[in-house]
Amino acid sequence: MIAYTALLDKAIVNPEGLSTNDVMALLTPPSLAATRRLWQTAHLLRLDATGKCIHLRAIIEFSNYCRQDCLYCGLRQGNRRVARYRMTPDAIVEAAIKAHKAHQFGTYVLQSGEDPGYDLEDLEWVVQEIKLATNAAVTLSIGERSYGVYQALQEAGADRFLLKFETSDGNLFRKLKPTTTLEQRLGCLDTLRGLGYQTGSGIILGLPGQDLESVASDLLLCRDADYEMVSIGPFIPHPDTPLGSVSLASNVCSTLTTIAVARLLVPNAHMPATTALGVIGQNDKWWKSEAPKLQDARSLALMAGANVLMLDVTPAKYRASYSIYPGKASADGDVICDSIWQTKQDVSNLSMTICPGRGDSPKQPWGRGSTDVKREGHFH
Ligand code: 5AD
């Protein structure tokens, strides 16, 4: 415990000085007391860097077509069992406006599979209309695109972009994402940052073949890239994928621990309490003993370094079909109002509040990747 506490102190003072071995040690606290100490340290760092309040993002999952064939994902092109849908541009804007009437979200996240089926002008129009109607920030999560597409959508008003690299282990990446490459994906992230998007990335935790060293390297990549947003979600096997019979390798505790270590390494990042964490928390009840009053494992992540909640405002009829992993779709009914109410309850149970406003990155200016900084350096 003493050695672990010393390592935590080192992480706070000098995260840049941490080696892969240090990060591996941070990821494996020697006792429950050390684990709690880690979570609490991450929580304090998060309060310091991003404040006490929680950012709510509304997410519209507007198409589940995907040209990629990632072995873990239920939306993979090869999955013939999923009912594909593609919302019209009008319907996407309408969904955002409807959500805005229920709660004035500061950010709308537009996510889809990697769907080549939209005209660029239509996507530009959607971004412009949502910005006009809500005055909120718009985040895109639509996969790997060309420089021209990223640029056009930014000119249309898109503020942020989410593109998880999923794993930084080249071999694992090649096996799990056969239709793209790690170089291509990291190249897209560089492009996005160069354009000045607030850029988010991150990983899936517990992928088959992923070991502790690989996770440590992933987190160090996030540190070195200094992403504005870092997302860590547990892998949940999907029955209609080649990894359907793999057993669950992460649990609530290991996910919280990884989120907390990520907070130590990228203190200024916005970090979501991921939906996938909420899903595994429904069966893995261990965390309830840590926080008996909370309804949702995601809330515990808000005490361990995370500071963002994503709320699904996709029209109810599409929800079941956006089956990235099982258990994701919530019940129907007035889903938007119900989940906003429940989220507010949990956030107030934690004595936290929901932030008004867009919730931009606390880093200023954002999106200036290390390459840019180096380039500017030549002029001084
Ligand atoms: N389990 C957990 N997360 C998954 N994702 C895709 N498939 C799974 C799965 N089976 C995540 C990826 C992607 C995000 C939208 O969903 O990280 O970036």
Side-chain angles (χ1 to χ4, degrees):
M1 177 74 165
I2 295 171
Y4 193 80
T5 308
L7 197 53
L8 277 179
D9 288 342
K10 179 175 168 186
I12 297 167
V13 178
N14 183 19
E16 300 300 323
L18 295 173
S19 65
T20 310
N21 279 337
D22 290 337
V23 178
M24 287 165 71
L26 284 168
L27 286 167
T28 45
S31 62
L32 186 57
T35 305
R36 290 197 187 112
R37 176 81 64 100
L38 165 71
W39 294 353
Q40 202 190 3
T41 306
H43 182 52
L44 293 175
L45 267 178
R46 176 295 251 186
L47 292 178
D48 196 44
T50 70
K52 194 171 176 178
C53 63
I54 299 302
H55 296 287
L56 263 195
R57 322 291 201 201
I59 180 164
I60 303 168
E61 296 158 339
F62 64 92
S63 162
N64 69 353
Y65 282 87
C66 192
R67 66 178 163 203
Q68 302 281 6
D69 212 22
C70 309
L71 267 61
Y72 48 78
C73 182
L75 303 189
R76 67 198 302 266
Q77 194 206 300
N79 181 11
R80 305 262 173 267
R81 301 183 68 164
V82 61
R84 301 286 172 174
Y85 70 90
R86 179 180 288 135
M87 288 169 65
T88 63
D90 275 327
I92 304 170
V93 174
E94 209 178 289
I97 292 174
K98 183 175 176 212
H100 210 65
K101 284 187 182 139
H103 177 88
Q104 300 220 338
F105 290 93
T107 299
Y108 290 87
V109 182
L110 305 179
Q111 188 178 85
S112 66
E114 213 169 288
D115 180 4
Y118 286 92
D119 287 338
L120 178 56
E121 298 78 63
D122 283 341
L123 291 179
E124 291 172 302
W125 179 83
V126 167
V127 172
Q128 282 158 358
E129 288 297 306
I130 293 178
K131 294 212 61 160
L132 263 178
T134 65
N135 209 24
V138 168
T139 303
L140 297 175
S141 179
I142 57 172
E144 297 167 17
R145 308 279 168 149
S146 67
Y147 180 91
V149 168
Y150 287 152
Q151 187 180 37
L153 291 170
Q154 189 187 38
E155 276 166 15
D159 302 274
R160 310 183 194 133
F161 205 103
L162 302 175
L163 185 73
K164 287 164 78 172
F165 58 80
E166 318 289 9
T167 171
S168 64
D169 176 327
N171 284 330
L172 198 55
F173 192 101
R174 213 167 307 128
K175 281 188 202 138
L176 297 177
K177 297 177 77 71
T179 41
T180 182
T181 63
L182 182 57
E183 291 68 35
Q184 153 83 5
R185 203 147 179 102
L186 295 176
C188 285
L189 283 161
D190 271 353
T191 301
L192 291 162
R193 307 207 74 193
L195 283 166
Y197 276 98
Q198 295 172 59
T199 305
S201 197
I203 61 165
I204 305 180
L205 187 69
L207 287 166
Q210 185 188 49
D211 58 18
L212 189 65
E213 185 174 358
S214 156
V215 175
S217 305
D218 292 343
L219 298 184
L220 286 170
L221 195 161
C222 291
R223 175 193 70 183
D224 295 341
D226 197 22
Y227 294 120
E228 281 75 36
M229 300 164 283
V230 173
S231 168
I232 290 157
F235 166 60
I236 304 176
H238 189 300
D240 299 329
T241 64
L243 302 180
S245 50
V246 160
S247 52
L248 200 67
S250 22
N251 53 38
V252 171
C253 184
S254 64
T255 307
L256 294 175
T257 292
T258 312
I259 290 175
V261 176
R263 171 61 67 193
L264 301 180
L265 291 174
V266 204
N268 292 318
H270 282 314
M271 296 187 56
T274 44
T275 313
L277 173 64
V279 170
I280 61 167
Q282 286 162 12
N283 294 321
D284 166 14
K285 288 289 180 201
W286 168 84
W287 64 273
K288 274 272 182 190
S289 58
E290 288 296 299
K293 273 202 198 138
L294 298 177
Q295 296 302 312
D296 189 321
R298 285 180 298 173
S299 307
L300 204 55
L302 300 175
M303 302 292 285
N307 70 322
V308 170
L309 280 172
M310 316 258 280
L311 236 142
D312 189 353
V313 301
T314 309
K317 62 179 169 187
Y318 299 123
R319 299 240 174 131
S321 301
Y322 203 78
S323 54
I324 297 178
Y325 46 80
K328 189 178 156 297
S330 52
D332 53 11
D334 191 354
V335 273
I336 299 181
C337 288
D338 287 354
S339 51
I340 292 170
W341 187 83
Q342 218 213 317
T343 304
K344 285 181 176 166
Q345 286 292 105
D346 256 10
V347 169
S348 84
N349 273 337
L350 295 168
S351 311
M352 294 178 200
T353 52
I354 290 170
C355 292
R358 295 174 20 134
D360 284 307
S361 165
K363 283 164 51 187
Q364 293 283 347
W366 49 72
R368 309 293 281 174
S370 47
T371 38
D372 269 21
V373 174
K374 273 185 212 132
R375 208 175 297 136
E376 280 173 1
H378 291 303
F379 296 103
H380 295 297

